Each structure stands twice: as C-alpha cells, then as structure tokens.
Amino acid sequence: MNKLYALSALALMALTTVPTTKAEENDSLQPKFSIKPSGRALFDGALFLPNKDGFADGVAIPDVRIGATATYGKFSAKIDIGYGQGVLSMKDVYFQYTHDEHNLIRAGYFVQQFGLNSATSSSMKPQMIASTADSYLNATGRNIGVMYVHDRGPVFLGVTVLTPNSLTVSPSNQGKISIGAVERFVWRPLRTPGAIAQVGFSSWYQTPQHLAVENDEGVKETSTGYFNYSSGFPTKVETVPMLSARINNSKGMFRMTPELLLSKGRFALEGQYYYMNIWRETGYNSYTAQGAYGLVRCLLLGDSEYSYSHADAGLATPKPKTLECVLGYDYMNASDCKAAIMGGISNDYSVTFNYYINKYMIARLRYSYTNVRASDVQFPRHVNIIQARIMFKF
C-alpha cells in the first residue's frame, strides 16, 4: 500500500510540473536594465569679519543637482544637471564599461583622476570648501575625455586623454583644440579600517587653448596659445576674486602632484603638493606656480576608525551619527616675478566640524582665516569667514 501511495504522488508531481522552456532560461541569463535617480541640495550661510568690504553676510543655495544613472549589464550611463549661483550647467555626462571589478573605461564629461582631491566630489570635501590650490589649477574640474581605471589590491591607476574646452564652446570658436593626458598612480600597502597608508603621484600635460578671432578683413584667425587660472575666496555664499592669471604666448603646460594619506584609528592625515610650469614662446619667460594643502582629521563621536574607499582611492565617508573635526592649511603662490605675471599669493587656515546625520544628510560648520597679497586682481587683505552648511543627498 505504501508503495502505491508513493507511485501515485510521483505521478501527480510529473503531471503538475511545468517544464522550463529554453526561451525562459535565456531570459533569466539576460542582464537587467535599471535606472537609479540621484540628487543633492546645499544650503549655506556665512558671516564675514572684520569688515564687509566686498563681502556681504547672507545665505545661498550654491548647488542643486538632479540626475540619474542607468545600468545594463557591464554598461552604464550617467547624467547630472546642476544649478548654482544663477547658472544652469552640466555636471557628469558619461558612458562607462565595467570590464570586471578591477577595470573600467569611461568616456564623456567627468572629473579625471588627478591627485587625492579627485577622490571626493565638490560637496563632499571634508574641509567643506576645496583647497585654493586645487581650485586655482582646476585640478579636479570636469573635462571631455576617455579614462581607464585599474583598481586591484595595493595598486590604483587612472589614465585619461582629454580636451579641456567647455561643452558650450563650439570648435569653430576655439581656433585650435587643446588636448591633454593625465595619470594618477597610487600605492596603498595598508587599506584596512583603522590602518591606512597611501602614497601617490599624478602628472598632467596639456597643449594651450586658442581662440578664433577676426582680423581687420573679417577673416577668423587662430590666436596665440594661452591658459586661464583663477580662484575666489573660500566661500560659496559670495563670489569675490582672490587669485587670477592669464598666461599668453603659451606653448604647453606640465603639472604634477604627489599625495599622502595616513590613518590610524580615529586620526587621519592627508595632503598634496602642486607644481605647474607653462613654457612660452621665444622672448617670454616660463610661468611657474605652486601650492599645497594639508588636513588633520579626527573622529570625535560615533565612528571610531576611518575606512577606505577602493573605487576612489581615498577615505570613505564616515558612518551616520559621527562627528568629525578637520584642521586644514592651504597655500597657493600664483605670482611669478620673472614671467611678470602676478596672480597672487594666498594662505588659508581652517577648522571644520562635520556631523554625518544619516546617509542622506550632512551638517558642516567651518571657520577660516584667509589672506592674499602680491595679486594684480586683489589688494592685500585678510578675512575671517564663519560658515555653515546643510546638505541633502540621495
């Protein structure tokens, strides 16, 4: 009788089981298409001391972004549109092929790998505002290009071929296209939570930019090569020029930056040195600029150790409900007497408190003392800035 029941049960299962078709098996193996929206909004307020000469206390929304990332198997695409200080602009716009977990190729409009500062976006800087040296040299600005990234074990390598001209400038108005090549190499023998050691070196070569200008006969001609660099005081509430230089009669530019990152438990040290040389046509002296920044970071409450972000080759964002203190110093010398170009010399001392409320919100409070001298665009002056920020992101 038991055998009869068993045979009956097997017969019933065979009749009710629907066989999987070959088409269904193929569908299950196909990659899935998905879209993930993203966005952020920054709300800043600032006080300026000791006087209001050129500055006004107030509040601002320096950056609002909305975008999305689409993925299909190993392929992805991202578009990000930003609005800040009355200007609508394109941010990240690129396509990406991820060969495996260690190698990818990106093409479009994006921030290239150049120095430790490229590990964090503009709104995620631990000192709230990007260093003046990085801003002046436009070291982590967006460019049109193609980038290859290798990320495996102790080695991180990023190589980019780019053209730095704006998306809004047509080739007919550029005169001659500027092209460049950028690399970042990082060696990180220690990269575990609470024990991180990293050194790196980045270099950048670029041909000069040109303009298409009309001569007396109304015919467009290509201007001599030039480079433009500038940076304002370290605040997003006011836009006040601090450093600026235009290097005409240029033939080419080379810049480099070594980087250092160390972390033990609650403490972290990071910094970069920048050097740039622009050689010029016969009869004009080369232009040299250099700068540096350093940060000492400490986790006061919440998270007890810094973690590492492999994809960015830098420190990961601390966990929610963590309070962090960041002491910073920033120096930039954009004046070169031999080249007769006085872009200015600045020093910036800062202390920043960051409270990582949750994965969607960050609150920052920063005090900085900044001075500038030897500048053709700004008289010698100093300013104390107290500023706060609330950031929402998803």
Side-chain angles (χ1 to χ4, degrees):
M1 185 65 68
N2 290 336
K3 289 183 180 181
L4 181 60
Y5 286 146
L7 290 173
S8 300
L10 289 174
L12 181 63
M13 291 176 62
L15 291 173
T16 57
T17 300
V18 179
T20 302
T21 66
K22 190 172 183 179
E24 290 174 331
E25 290 179 355
N26 291 335
D27 288 341
S28 65
L29 296 176
Q30 290 295 320
K32 303 297 183 181
F33 177 80
S34 65
I35 297 180
K36 180 180 179 181
S38 62
R40 74 180 66 170
L42 276 58
F43 301 87
D44 284 15
L47 300 173
F48 303 95
L49 303 168
N51 56 62
K52 301 295 187 288
D53 186 11
F55 295 92
D57 300 339
V59 296
I61 303 177
D63 192 15
V64 176
R65 297 189 195 180
I66 189 71
T69 301
T71 59
Y72 181 75
K74 295 184 176 183
F75 296 91
S76 62
K78 181 178 181 180
I79 183 169
D80 210 12
I81 301 174
Y83 180 83
Q85 299 175 335
V87 178
L88 185 67
S89 61
M90 301 302 296
K91 300 301 180 180
D92 291 330
V93 183
Y94 62 77
F95 298 93
Q96 181 170 299
Y97 171 72
T98 304
H99 178 69
D100 53 36
E101 60 179 330
H102 305 298
N103 300 277
L104 66 85
I105 296 175
R106 179 178 298 175
Y109 188 62
F110 55 87
V111 176
Q112 67 288 321
Q113 286 290 336
F114 182 78
L116 185 58
N117 240 283
S118 59
T120 51
S121 66
S122 59
S123 60
M124 295 300 291
K125 304 299 183 188
Q127 72 275 36
M128 184 170 164
I129 304 293
S131 72
T132 303
D134 201 87
S135 297
Y136 175 79
L137 297 172
N138 197 27
T140 52
R142 288 176 175 82
N143 296 286
I144 300 174
V146 178
M147 178 175 68
Y148 166 73
V149 173
H150 174 78
D151 170 26
R152 185 168 190 170
V155 174
F156 181 93
L157 175 66
V159 179
T160 308
V161 178
L162 56 82
T163 175
N165 294 298
S166 170
L167 285 175
T168 61
V169 180
S170 65
S172 61
N173 292 325
Q174 294 175 17
K176 182 187 294 185
I177 299 296
S178 173
I179 59 173
V182 184
E183 66 79 26
R184 181 188 180 202
F185 175 79
V186 170
W187 174 256
R188 48 199 183 183
L190 297 177
R191 54 195 183 281
T192 58
I196 299 167
Q198 172 175 304
V199 293
F201 182 83
S202 301
S203 61
W204 186 323
Y205 170 79
Q206 183 180 319
T207 62
Q209 294 180 291
H210 297 79
L211 289 176
V213 296
E214 290 187 359
N215 59 20
D216 295 337
E217 288 75 30
V219 179
K220 283 191 175 182
E221 296 179 343
T222 301
S223 69
T224 59
Y226 72 92
F227 290 96
N228 270 337
Y229 298 103
S230 64
S231 179
F233 280 86
T235 176
K236 296 293 186 180
V237 174
E238 277 281 19
T239 304
V240 180
M242 183 171 67
L243 307 174
S244 182
R246 182 183 176 94
I247 303 91
N248 291 317
N249 305 106
S250 300
K251 298 180 66 176
M253 179 274 291
F254 171 79
R255 70 167 68 120
M256 62 89 175
T257 175
E259 64 182 78
L260 174 67
L261 173 61
L262 300 172
S263 178
K264 180 65 176 178
R266 294 181 178 271
F267 296 91
L269 170 69
E270 62 178 79
Q272 288 180 239
Y273 166 75
Y274 300 82
Y275 172 83
M276 181 177 72
N277 182 72
I278 297 177
W279 57 96
R280 306 165 74 194
E281 296 175 1
T282 304
Y284 297 90
N285 290 325
S286 296
Y287 170 75
T288 300
Q290 57 185 325
Y293 82 90
L295 302 177
V296 177
R297 304 173 62 175
C298 177
L299 300 172
L300 301 178
L301 298 173
D303 208 351
S304 60
E305 57 187 13
Y306 284 97
S307 298
Y308 190 76
S309 174
H310 258 269
D312 305 310
L315 293 181
T317 303
K319 298 175 182 177
K321 302 189 183 303
T322 294
L323 177 64
E324 178 188 38
C325 178
V326 182
L327 302 177
Y329 172 70
D330 184 10
Y331 168 79
M332 184 65 211
N333 185 350
S335 292
D336 188 336
C337 296
K338 292 183 178 180
I341 298 174
M342 306 303 289
I345 301 173
S346 69
N347 293 273
D348 181 76
Y349 307 83
S350 66
V351 55
T352 307
F353 291 93
N354 302 310
Y355 185 61
Y356 302 89
I357 302 171
N358 52 49
K359 66 178 182 177
Y360 303 108
M361 298 177 61
I362 301 175
R364 305 187 194 272
L365 178 65
R366 169 186 163 104
Y367 163 77
S368 63
Y369 169 82
T370 308
N371 63 56
V372 59
R373 65 187 190 279
S375 172
D376 285 340
V377 297
Q378 185 60 257
F379 58 87
R381 66 186 304 186
H382 70 274
V383 62
N384 297 271
I385 308 176
I386 301 173
Q387 48 192 328
R389 170 179 293 171
I390 292 289
M391 183 179 76
F392 299 87
K393 66 183 184 70
F394 62 88

